[in-house]
Amino acid sequence: MAEKGSVLKESIEENPKESVNKYKKGLVFSKILKTNAEKDDDFYRLELRRLPNYVKGNRESRGKGFRPLDGLFEITNFYIKIHSENNPLGITNYIDVNRILKIQYVSERYTGTNTEPTEETVDIFWIRQYNLILMNGPKKLCEDAYNELTNINKVEFTDVVFKHDFLMWIPYRLNNAKGKLFPELFVNIIADGVTQNKSSTGIVPKRLVIDKSIEALMTLPAIYGLVNKHKFYSIGGDFDFRKEPLRVTISNNGIHIKITSLLKHKDHGERCAIVFPFIIEMVNVLKYWEGLDAPERYPDEAFLEEIENSFNNQILECQNNLEELKKEYKEKRET
């Protein structure tokens, strides 16, 4: 249930279960949007208030809509470094956190015989200085929220998508740059990955998962997927951003940052101040990649030969292991 055209209340009274000190939220940014919004902040604040207001519903008419995030937590100040060929050390750009427009999309879900709904939410952060919107929540719910956001006047949205070729380029770049992805961004290991081909038929799976490897792209499942027309859906691993460790998965659907030691004991506002500049940095890396000439944008022959050699070595090892397996079962049959 949502009231069209209603003004969002400047309080958190409708969400008494949440509190400033206990606000908990994962860091799964399932949708990232660029905008071309050119009006001033007050114009868009008013536009956000015109979105359908969340009102609690019931099983027959489930509540959905928007409510303010103001008051639940405060984002700590942070900065962005802008790098260029003329200034490789970068220019520091401090972000005015008061210019980050915050709002939450809510959708109710009923389970079993429960009379009270479970609230599923998406936190939406509009970083006006970069005209970037970060949506923190489940993919399907982010899409529902986005469909409402498209009603905002005087703005166009463009999805930021980390596609297969970009995900393939990351390990290629790391291989050539000794782990350095961008001036303040290093990657220690790409340990995880998912390849998929939804139209795959026969014996080849539609989806292959690489988990906790030393080098995901060089693993047999990844290479097997690639030679069977799979595309990378995601890669993940241990990143160092400004000399701080982050465990990150980058996928076609956005960026997921795991809660590890760096973030575990920080409140949500402090986490945002670490995570937001990282996401902006990854968007800048994507923009940098898109601007490269084709010979630099795609893996070269030497790198692909490394993959081929890794594949051949693993196949040979598999053949040897298969002989061991045959021997094992021969002995079992004869006992």
Side-chain angles (χ1 to χ4, degrees):
M1 183 181 296
E3 297 177 356
K4 283 284 184 183
S6 60
V7 177
L8 291 169
K9 296 180 180 179
E10 293 292 341
S11 72
I12 58 171
E13 292 175 358
E14 294 182 19
N15 193 15
K17 295 179 182 178
E18 305 282 21
S19 73
V20 174
N21 296 323
K22 295 183 179 180
Y23 187 83
K24 299 291 183 184
K25 188 76 174 182
L27 298 167
V28 183
F29 294 86
S30 300
K31 199 168 185 67
I32 301 170
L33 298 165
K34 292 179 183 177
T35 73
N36 69 341
E38 296 177 353
K39 295 285 187 179
D40 61 34
D41 294 353
D42 288 339
F43 176 87
Y44 294 110
R45 282 194 180 92
L46 183 59
E47 285 296 304
L48 290 177
R49 291 187 183 189
R50 295 185 192 281
L51 293 171
N53 194 8
Y54 168 70
V55 178
K56 187 176 179 180
N58 52 52
R59 280 185 176 273
E60 287 69 38
S61 180
R62 301 183 182 189
K64 62 180 180 179
F66 294 87
R67 65 185 174 202
L69 269 175
D70 300 310
L72 288 177
F73 57 89
E74 296 298 326
I75 300 174
T76 310
N77 292 325
F78 64 93
Y79 67 90
I80 305 298
K81 279 281 188 77
I82 303 171
H83 301 277
S84 66
E85 291 184 5
N86 296 329
N87 194 338
L89 295 178
I91 299 171
T92 301
N93 184 15
Y94 289 94
I95 300 300
D96 182 354
V97 295
N98 294 315
R99 293 194 63 201
I100 299 177
L101 309 185
K102 306 188 294 291
I103 196 170
Q104 186 178 72
Y105 180 75
V106 187
S107 179
E108 293 177 348
R109 178 171 57 88
Y110 287 83
T111 56
T113 58
N114 292 336
T115 56
E116 288 297 314
T118 299
E119 291 182 0
E120 296 182 325
T121 62
V122 174
D123 291 354
I124 301 167
F125 303 92
W126 193 345
I127 304 174
R128 292 283 293 121
Q129 282 169 267
Y130 278 84
N131 263 333
L132 199 66
I133 292 178
L134 311 181
M135 303 179 71
N136 183 16
K139 179 64 176 177
K140 172 62 169 63
L141 209 60
C142 286
E143 293 297 338
D144 293 343
Y146 168 70
N147 290 334
E148 296 288 354
L149 290 181
T150 57
N151 293 316
I152 295 176
N153 290 314
K154 306 294 183 183
V155 63
E156 293 180 2
F157 302 95
T158 304
D159 274 295
V160 175
V161 182
F162 302 101
K163 294 182 179 179
H164 163 77
D165 283 331
F166 175 70
L167 298 180
M168 274 285 289
W169 173 81
I170 288 178
Y172 170 61
R173 163 84 168 188
L174 299 175
N175 188 63
N176 291 339
K178 298 181 179 178
K180 185 177 181 179
L181 188 58
F182 227 47
E184 292 189 300
L185 183 57
F186 290 76
V187 183
N188 295 324
I189 185 172
I190 298 293
D192 310 316
V194 174
T195 70
Q196 63 182 22
N197 178 359
K198 294 180 180 178
S199 62
S200 180
T201 58
I203 198 170
V204 180
K206 294 183 185 296
R207 187 178 177 93
L208 291 163
V209 178
I210 305 100
D211 184 34
K212 297 179 181 177
S213 70
I214 297 175
E215 197 170 358
L217 182 58
M218 296 295 177
T219 63
L220 193 57
I223 303 170
Y224 179 76
L226 292 173
V227 299
N228 282 284
K229 301 188 183 304
H230 275 220
K231 303 292 186 184
F232 265 107
Y233 166 76
S234 70
I235 61 171
D238 294 332
F239 288 63
D240 272 351
F241 180 56
R242 298 176 182 169
K243 300 182 180 180
E244 297 285 4
L246 290 172
R247 185 158 296 163
V248 179
T249 297
I250 301 168
S251 76
N252 303 163
N253 282 341
I255 294 177
H256 178 193
I257 299 171
K258 312 289 177 64
I259 304 298
T260 53
S261 56
L262 174 64
L263 301 172
K264 185 175 181 180
H265 300 295
K266 297 187 182 300
D267 65 35
H268 196 64
E270 292 171 325
R271 289 176 179 178
C272 289
I274 294 171
V275 167
F276 287 2
F278 172 81
I279 295 174
I280 293 171
E281 188 83 334
M282 282 307 308
V283 172
N284 287 337
V285 174
L286 177 63
K287 182 180 178 181
Y288 167 80
W289 174 78
E290 290 171 340
L292 292 174
D293 293 332
E296 295 177 290
R297 196 161 63 245
Y298 302 109
D300 61 17
E301 194 75 16
F303 184 71
L304 296 175
E305 285 177 358
E306 281 188 48
I307 294 176
E308 181 182 17
N309 291 336
S310 177
F311 180 74
N312 290 334
N313 290 336
Q314 289 178 81
I315 288 293
L316 181 59
E317 186 176 347
C318 285
Q319 289 173 333
N320 293 334
N321 291 340
L322 184 58
E323 291 302 318
E324 290 294 322
L325 183 66
K326 289 161 65 177
K327 181 180 178 182
E328 175 189 342
Y329 275 89
K330 182 176 184 293
E331 291 173 353
K332 287 180 177 179
R333 288 194 304 271
E334 293 174 350
T335 56

